[in-house]
Amino acid sequence: WDLFSFRFVKPRQYIGLQAPTTECRTIEQALKAMGIEEKMIPTWIPDGYEVEDTEIDYGEDMWYVSLRQTFAKKGEPVQIEYSCFAIENNQGAVHPKDVGEPESYFAGGVQHFTMQENRHWTGVWEQGGFECSIHGYQTREELLRAIDSIYE
């Protein structure tokens, strides 16, 4: 990371994902269709938020997968994004952050990095070959509750 952003930078390996054979409308359906069994989806979203948009995209031969779901309430979105970078030596997504060090948080045996950017909290981690992130929480406590819910 640097002063204003965070990203994972290390070689990534092809993880042998299966292309979905049916249309998937949710992130959960897409992960299941690709043979992903690791827990990666928060089961807790703050009260009053509803699904606003779901995007499921993958490249030819499954070398790239991007799964994104946006929840919204009164113009304050909580964006949940899961990406798989299956090209060797690829750098992960850039996550803007305020000045300061990301805070480390362990849940489910996985290291998560939490950081704040413009009054909203973000969590970033790697799981099952995916770089995962969740954005938009009002407090770090809400973010940690969402992270904990992945592994419950």
Side-chain angles (χ1 to χ4, degrees):
W1 58 82
D2 62 27
L3 198 58
F4 297 106
S5 65
F6 177 94
R7 77 177 344 168
F8 290 109
V9 180
K10 63 182 183 179
R12 298 187 186 271
Q13 302 295 322
Y14 179 69
I15 59 174
L17 296 173
Q18 311 167 32
T21 56
T22 60
E23 182 179 349
C24 301
R25 296 186 182 273
T26 68
I27 292 174
E28 294 88 346
Q29 289 173 347
L31 289 171
K32 185 175 181 179
M34 288 184 280
I36 302 295
E37 297 180 8
E38 287 89 352
K39 293 181 177 186
M40 293 190 285
I41 307 295
T43 57
W44 180 85
I45 299 294
D47 289 337
Y49 282 80
E50 296 180 6
V51 175
E52 183 176 76
D53 186 39
T54 300
E55 295 176 30
I56 299 170
D57 185 31
Y58 47 90
E60 187 176 328
D61 296 328
M62 298 298 288
W63 283 93
Y64 173 82
V65 175
S66 177
L67 308 172
R68 179 181 298 167
Q69 192 160 35
T70 304
F71 295 80
K73 173 185 173 183
K74 298 179 186 174
E76 289 292 334
V78 174
Q79 186 176 45
I80 300 175
E81 177 180 306
Y82 301 91
S83 299
C84 175
F85 298 93
I87 299 172
E88 230 176 282
N89 297 319
N90 191 25
Q91 295 183 2
V94 175
H95 303 277
K97 68 175 192 63
D98 292 344
V99 174
E101 298 284 315
E103 297 178 53
S104 182
Y105 179 74
F106 283 87
V110 176
Q111 184 177 21
H112 303 74
F113 296 92
T114 66
M115 60 213 80
Q116 193 171 17
E117 196 250 338
N118 290 334
R119 299 183 344 248
H120 293 99
W121 283 88
T122 295
V124 182
W125 68 100
E126 292 182 305
Q127 178 76 338
F130 279 72
E131 177 180 315
C132 304
S133 63
I134 52 180
H135 311 271
Y137 290 91
Q138 299 295 316
T139 66
R140 186 168 189 264
E141 290 72 29
E142 280 186 345
L143 174 65
L144 297 183
R145 184 170 176 192
I147 290 170
D148 287 342
S149 76
I150 295 167
Y151 308 102
E152 294 174 344

